[in-house]
Amino acid sequence: CRGSVNIIHHGTDANGGNMTNIENRIAAAKDPNASTFEYTIQDITCFIPPKPSLRVYDSAWILLGSLQHLQTTMDVIKCFQSIHRVLSEDGTLIVELSHPKETFNMLTCTRNTWEVPIDLDDGAEGTLKVLWGDESDEFDPIKQLRDLTVQFELDAGAFSTNVTQIIPTRLFTSQEMNALAYGGGFEVVQMYGSLNEDVDVYDTELAYRMVCVLRKRKDLR
């Protein structure tokens, strides 16, 4: 949803969706134009536009590995189908996932850390630190599920807290994405190794994500 807020700067309407309201609140709090930002809390497998009059989008983005929370094939296909219904004829779906090399490197897990500034109700500023993944996370090679360690550290001046959860997440291969896209009414037209289009998915040094660009299948247009 923070990405949706950034899009507003370019004069483009944007909606953000999440299954919880934490990220949406962070996104809205960061930007003075947040009043123009529409967000909704929904199940990603059955998306409904928040505005009845806004039924068609030019592009949809599923970032930060959010698709990995859908653990079954049918849930992924239902997600793609629900997005397919609200995209324009030439609309695109961008999906950011872990790189397949992490799927096959079963003994280690990439550990990512980032910080998000938060404006508190009293006008002060706080920081939310997110730790995503741990080397001790277990991987089930049959179901392709990793028990991902997620830790939130909130520093809000006089108040601070630390929350750790173990979240099962699915890892995908490129072949799977082609099949899942087809089942959801799409075709994969390009893959990148990050959100930078100059990084090829096959780049052994720079590629650390699998970013899939999907378009509606021509036979269904």
Side-chain angles (χ1 to χ4, degrees):
C1 289
R2 293 193 300 274
S4 298
V5 170
N6 291 333
I7 291 175
I8 295 174
H9 288 299
H10 299 280
T12 303
D13 292 332
N15 295 124
N18 208 328
M19 296 182 70
T20 66
N21 61 2
I22 297 176
E23 286 292 322
N24 293 315
R25 287 177 177 173
I26 292 173
K30 282 186 64 180
D31 196 277
N33 299 319
S35 60
T36 65
F37 173 57
E38 295 285 341
Y39 63 82
T40 181
I41 302 171
Q42 295 190 40
D43 184 339
I44 195 175
T45 64
C46 51
F47 174 75
I48 300 174
K51 289 183 178 180
S53 60
L54 187 57
R55 292 291 180 181
V56 178
Y57 297 86
D58 294 319
S59 186
W61 296 60
I62 305 177
L63 301 177
L64 295 172
S66 297
L67 190 72
Q68 294 176 238
H69 295 293
L70 303 184
Q71 300 173 27
T72 70
T73 294
M74 286 310 302
D75 277 347
V76 176
I77 292 177
K78 285 168 59 179
C79 171
F80 286 174
Q81 289 174 338
S82 72
I83 295 173
H84 188 280
R85 288 192 290 268
V86 298
L87 279 183
S88 61
E89 182 174 322
D90 295 322
T92 58
L93 169 59
I94 314 298
V95 183
E96 180 192 11
L97 299 165
S98 297
H99 196 278
K101 62 186 177 185
E102 185 168 315
T103 304
F104 293 102
N105 188 10
M106 296 179 291
L107 298 180
T108 61
C109 176
T110 302
R111 181 183 177 92
N112 297 303
T113 304
W114 66 91
E115 293 186 357
V116 180
I118 299 177
D119 294 329
L120 305 176
D121 292 337
D122 60 1
E125 295 183 353
T127 302
L128 176 66
K129 183 178 181 180
V130 182
L131 289 84
W132 191 268
D134 189 84
E135 294 181 356
S136 63
D137 290 345
E138 295 185 359
F139 178 73
D140 183 337
I142 305 299
K143 297 180 179 180
Q144 291 179 209
L145 295 180
R146 186 186 297 281
D147 289 336
L148 190 73
T149 300
V150 180
Q151 183 176 347
F152 297 93
E153 298 179 0
L154 177 63
D155 182 2
F159 175 79
S160 62
T161 186
N162 186 309
V163 177
T164 300
Q165 288 184 317
I166 304 298
I167 303 175
T169 56
R170 178 175 175 174
L171 299 181
F172 294 89
T173 67
S174 61
Q175 296 280 30
E176 275 183 300
M177 283 304 298
N178 278 291
L180 292 167
Y182 189 89
F186 291 94
E187 57 183 344
V188 179
V189 296
Q190 188 61 269
M191 288 188 180
Y192 298 99
S194 77
L195 288 172
N196 183 341
E197 63 181 357
D198 294 329
V199 179
D200 190 273
V201 71
Y202 291 101
D203 192 315
T204 57
E205 294 184 1
L206 299 179
Y208 67 101
R209 308 293 281 171
M210 179 171 67
V211 179
C212 305
V213 181
L214 282 60
R215 281 206 181 100
K216 286 187 174 182
R217 283 166 41 197
K218 293 181 180 179
D219 58 313
L220 297 179
R221 294 182 185 179

